[in-house]
């Protein structure tokens, strides 16, 4: 978790800071397969969450739709879309840092915990989190990220 938080933190020094990062590692060895950042704005694609991008890249790299034997680490609790993708991919485990509630302080979220998506599925994986929550939440509160959140204006006005 510390490694993906550090990788994601590097984006905070760029013109496109992002607090959402994900990595996929081999479950039994911890060997890194790949990392990805959220690219919703860069790709003009609402589904380009870090977790989904990591899963897509891993499946292509492995030439398999199954990611059994792998673990997803993510700086924030997966949204229902991302958690569903993790389940469809057959990941062994999902480990997250900040919570959906943490992210919702800064941007819109769907308030369905990853554990609930897992519980309602025929496919199961282990979910651990929050892990290193303060370190991961710090990605959301970095001054450059707070400035970017204001520009994103993702908060719906009621």
């Amino acid at each position: 978790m510390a490694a993906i938080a550090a990788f994601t933190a590097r984006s905070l020094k760029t013109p496109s800071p992002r607090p959402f990062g994900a990595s996929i590692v081999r479950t039994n060895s911890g060997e890194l397969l790949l990392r990805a950042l959220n690219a919703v704005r860069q790709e003009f694609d609402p589904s380009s969450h870090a977790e989904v991008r990591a899963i897509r890249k891993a499946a292509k790299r492995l030439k398999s739709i199954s990611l059994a034997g792998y673990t997803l680490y993510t700086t924030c609790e997966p949204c229902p879309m991302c958690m569903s993708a993790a389940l469809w991919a057959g990941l062994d485990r999902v480990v997250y840092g900040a919570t959906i509630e943490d992210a919702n302080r800064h941007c819109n979220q769907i308030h369905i915990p990853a554990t609930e998506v897992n519980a309602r599925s025929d496919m199961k994986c282990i979910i651990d989190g929050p892990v290193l929550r303060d370190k991961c939440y710090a990605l959301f509160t970095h001054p450059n990220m707070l400035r970017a959140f204001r520009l994103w204006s993702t908060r719906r006005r009621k």
Side-chain angles (χ1 to χ4, degrees), residues 16-94:
S16 298
R18 292 167 265 182
F20 301 100
S23 62
I24 294 184
V25 303
R26 189 175 296 278
T27 300
N28 62 4
S29 68
E31 176 189 355
L32 176 67
L33 179 64
L34 55 79
R35 298 180 287 220
L37 294 173
N38 177 300
V40 168
R41 295 192 173 281
Q42 292 75 14
E43 296 178 356
F44 303 101
D45 179 354
S47 70
S48 282
H49 291 199
E51 300 91 337
V52 170
R53 292 184 75 231
I55 290 166
R56 287 175 180 160
K57 289 178 173 188
K60 282 183 182 180
R61 181 168 294 171
L62 297 172
K63 294 181 177 21
S64 174
I65 60 169
S66 174
L67 298 181
Y70 289 88
T71 295
L72 172 71
Y73 286 86
T74 179
T75 58
C76 189
E77 182 176 1
C79 74
M81 175 183 68
C82 293
M83 190 62 221
S84 296
L87 291 168
W88 282 111
L91 285 158
D92 298 342
R93 185 171 166 226
V94 171

